[in-house]
Amino acid sequence: MDVLDVLTNSPPDNPAWGLRLCQVTGHGTGTIYPVLDRLLKAGWIKDYWEDPPPADRPRRRFYEITSTGREQYTVALRARDERRAAWLRPSPQPGTAS
Amino acid sequence: MAPPQSPTRYSLVNAKFQAHRAARLGVGEDVKLVTEGVSLQAKQHITIANLRSKRFTIRPVAQLSGLIVSVGISTLIQRMLPPTFISTRPYSWVGVIAVPISMSLAMFVIVNFLNYTRWRAVAAEHSIQSLAELAAFIAGRRRLGLRQEWAAHLAGDSGHDPVSWEKLKQAVGFLVSAVRYRCSDAADAAWTPVDAILKSRILSNLFVLLPTAAAGCLVLRHEGTLGVVTAAESIGAIGATLYGLIRTGRWWRNVKPPEPKAWSAKE
């Protein structure tokens, strides 16, 4: 969820990459990269390399959420909110139900 | 690179490292980065530390003492051995020379390693890079891009971030990622035949029917028809369990089999 939040809110001119995701979410590299791999496999995000490649440092790999991923993420968020609401909603007391 | 607020040990070590690295690689830009990145006090500390590391008093003394100690030990060993030991071994003089030389070499390596911060810093850089490369190697050929991606990650925001404990943690995280990639690959490979069964109606039916029919045949062969009637519940339980497994597997893996085909075009 954190990763998808960052990816959703990343502007196109400053796309998210591994280090930035680690910094913003506070998760380690051992968590972020497997999550990115799974999201890539699921087709929720897509990746592309920095172009043109810089001369003085290695190229970065940027990640971007796809339209499918955005839709699925919205659905998942809504489902989560509904689950939470159902969980927090007080159960009707016996005798009070109309 | 953001300049540190105070000349901490962190900035000192990394500034020294960058300076030595730049000197080693012959890169002027890094030196500039270092001078921009550390405060004046830090620079003074660096100069003092460099002067200390270049003193010619510690290393020769340590090496000479190492040589004397090693020669003494080898002489002691020779004395302790019986006289016949040396005379009966035609090449025993090799040991007499090899022991002090190897010991002084070891002393040389240890002294240099302990004395030179530069060596430690270079070793730290190589260790972190090696860890990242090892992680990329473990991750496999299917993920060749990870080598460059992780190198960019270690280079940091500026592209020239100095070595720090944080980087070491990140490199260890890469190793964890690589292992998790491999576990995920192995799990995918293990699920492939299961998914094939779950996706296909024919294979799912065979998975349920074959063991059930085999159990029925076994009972029929050994117990006869009456046995089959008696064990009908157990045989049915086998079929029901397998069918339950298929349904649970489809739910768990989120697999939907294709709709059954109509028996004829009219239907």
Side-chain angles (χ1 to χ4, degrees):
Chain A
M1 290 288 184
D2 295 341
V3 174
L4 284 168
D5 273 336
V6 177
L7 288 170
T8 310
N9 298 321
S10 293
D13 57 333
N14 187 17
W17 58 293
L19 179 61
R20 189 159 156 246
L21 285 166
C22 290
Q23 287 168 345
V24 175
T25 59
H27 297 303
T29 49
T31 306
I32 291 292
Y33 284 102
V35 167
L36 289 172
D37 190 54
R38 279 164 59 190
L39 290 172
L40 275 172
K41 272 185 190 169
W44 285 32
I45 60 172
K46 62 182 179 183
D47 64 322
Y48 59 95
W49 289 96
E50 188 175 15
D51 192 34
D56 57 340
R57 59 171 173 77
R59 270 197 306 173
R60 289 172 184 169
R61 189 184 186 184
F62 295 124
Y63 295 94
E64 197 177 76
I65 193 161
T66 59
S67 55
T68 315
R70 207 177 286 275
E71 286 169 17
Q72 297 283 334
Y73 182 47
T74 313
V75 170
L77 276 181
R78 197 179 300 136
R80 187 187 69 171
D81 291 343
E82 283 171 8
R83 273 201 310 274
R84 279 185 180 171
W87 183 261
L88 295 173
R89 196 179 300 136
S91 56
Q93 297 293 323
T96 55
S98 55
Chain B
M1 185 170 64
Q5 297 300 317
S6 61
T8 57
R9 183 174 173 74
Y10 174 85
S11 66
L12 286 179
V13 170
N14 286 310
K16 281 180 72 180
F17 160 69
Q18 288 288 355
H20 283 300
R21 179 170 167 269
R24 187 167 51 88
L25 298 174
V27 185
E29 194 182 351
D30 281 350
V31 178
K32 196 180 167 191
L33 275 169
V34 170
T35 51
E36 283 173 357
V38 294
S39 66
L40 184 64
Q41 197 183 348
K43 274 190 238 172
Q44 287 170 355
H45 280 290
I46 292 165
T47 314
I48 293 164
N50 280 335
L51 284 172
R52 277 181 186 161
S53 71
K54 283 177 184 169
R55 277 197 311 191
F56 292 98
T57 52
I58 301 169
R59 277 197 304 151
V61 167
Q63 282 160 14
L64 190 64
S65 58
L67 188 66
I68 290 167
V69 168
S70 57
V71 168
I73 290 172
S74 63
T75 312
L76 199 65
I77 291 169
Q78 299 290 331
R79 288 284 177 92
M80 285 167 69
L81 289 172
T84 52
F85 184 83
I86 297 171
S87 59
T88 51
R89 302 279 189 291
Y91 298 106
S92 59
W93 56 270
V94 174
V96 177
I97 298 169
V99 169
I101 287 177
S102 58
M103 287 188 75
S104 54
L105 267 175
M107 190 67 77
F108 173 79
V109 170
I110 291 166
V111 166
N112 278 288
F113 194 76
L114 293 177
N115 263 355
Y116 272 6
T117 313
R118 173 172 67 97
W119 284 33
R120 277 184 282 174
V122 171
E125 186 201 21
H126 284 299
S127 305
I128 290 169
Q129 283 176 356
S130 305
L131 268 180
E133 286 188 7
L134 176 68
F137 175 75
I138 291 172
R141 289 185 179 179
R142 284 170 53 191
R143 301 183 178 89
L144 276 178
L146 283 178
R147 189 182 297 268
Q148 200 169 10
E149 183 179 12
W150 287 345
H153 188 122
L154 289 175
D157 278 322
S158 66
H160 303 276
D161 278 7
V163 176
S164 63
W165 283 109
E166 188 60 33
K167 276 194 178 184
L168 184 63
K169 276 198 278 184
Q170 288 170 356
V172 173
F174 295 152
L175 272 179
V176 175
S177 296
V179 172
R180 289 179 69 176
Y181 284 146
R182 282 304 196 179
C183 290
S184 165
D185 289 349
D188 285 347
W191 277 110
T192 305
V194 180
D195 283 344
I197 292 172
L198 295 176
K199 277 178 189 168
S200 162
R201 280 192 184 275
I202 296 170
L203 290 177
S204 300
N205 291 338
L206 284 176
F207 180 78
V208 175
L209 290 177
L210 278 181
T212 314
C217 288
L218 270 174
V219 174
L220 184 68
R221 187 175 174 185
H222 289 282
E223 305 286 336
T225 313
L226 187 65
V228 174
V229 173
T230 313
E233 283 182 3
S234 306
I235 295 168
I238 292 172
T241 309
L242 293 174
Y243 182 70
L245 274 177
I246 289 287
R247 296 300 296 238
T248 313
R250 281 178 184 162
W251 167 76
W252 181 259
R253 298 288 295 166
N254 198 18
V255 171
K256 285 182 182 173
E259 291 299 319
K261 290 178 183 174
W263 287 102
S264 66
K266 286 179 184 177
E267 293 174 9

